[in-house]
Amino acid sequence: MPDDILIVLTTHPEREGAERLAEKLVQKKLAACVNILGRMTSIYPWKGRIERGEEHQMVIKTSTRRYAELEALVRREHPYELPEILTLPVIGGLIEYLDWIQTCTD
């Protein structure tokens, strides 16, 4: 069961945009839950320059079978040319919570 669950990370430059994206993911059953963390500073190289930006980390709980659709929606809706999309496998957890994620993404 745990190997059917993923944590997906992405960032968004605006709180309101992150909330809109999270709502779409949950409404379409692509995510059971999305946590939007407070503003943070990101520093990274981009197109030959060192960039600095304010972002909100999004922590998305989903099932492996919904990942491809989730990725497609994030890519389509995200304002960045190259959005962060990282998946982390879940190797354990409270079985009732893992079941809930599966139920929410059915």
Side-chain angles (χ1 to χ4, degrees):
M1 169 71 84
D3 59 346
D4 293 335
I5 304 297
L6 295 173
I7 301 296
V8 180
L9 301 177
T10 192
T11 57
H12 202 287
E14 300 168 350
R15 176 81 186 193
E16 297 79 19
E19 289 179 11
R20 282 191 304 273
L21 179 56
E23 286 181 19
K24 284 183 183 180
L25 292 169
V26 172
Q27 286 173 350
K28 293 181 178 290
K29 295 188 170 195
L30 300 179
C33 176
V34 180
N35 303 113
I36 302 169
L37 305 182
R39 190 172 30 175
M40 63 183 183
T41 301
S42 296
I43 301 169
Y44 53 93
W46 184 248
K47 296 186 177 182
R49 296 180 38 191
I50 301 297
E51 298 286 339
R52 176 184 299 258
E54 299 294 315
E55 298 181 302
H56 295 273
Q57 183 72 57
M58 298 175 67
V59 181
I60 306 164
K61 279 76 105 188
T62 192
S63 59
T64 55
R65 70 183 177 288
R66 300 309 304 263
Y67 174 74
E69 292 173 85
L70 183 150
E71 180 185 295
L73 189 140
V74 171
R75 289 178 65 108
R76 187 171 58 249
E77 301 284 331
H78 206 283
Y80 291 166
E81 179 181 341
L82 180 62
E84 170 189 307
I85 303 175
L86 299 173
T87 62
L88 306 171
V90 173
I91 59 168
L94 181 66
I95 194 69
E96 293 87 355
Y97 187 78
L98 300 176
D99 286 343
W100 175 78
I101 293 172
Q102 290 286 12
T103 299
C104 291
T105 56
D106 276 344

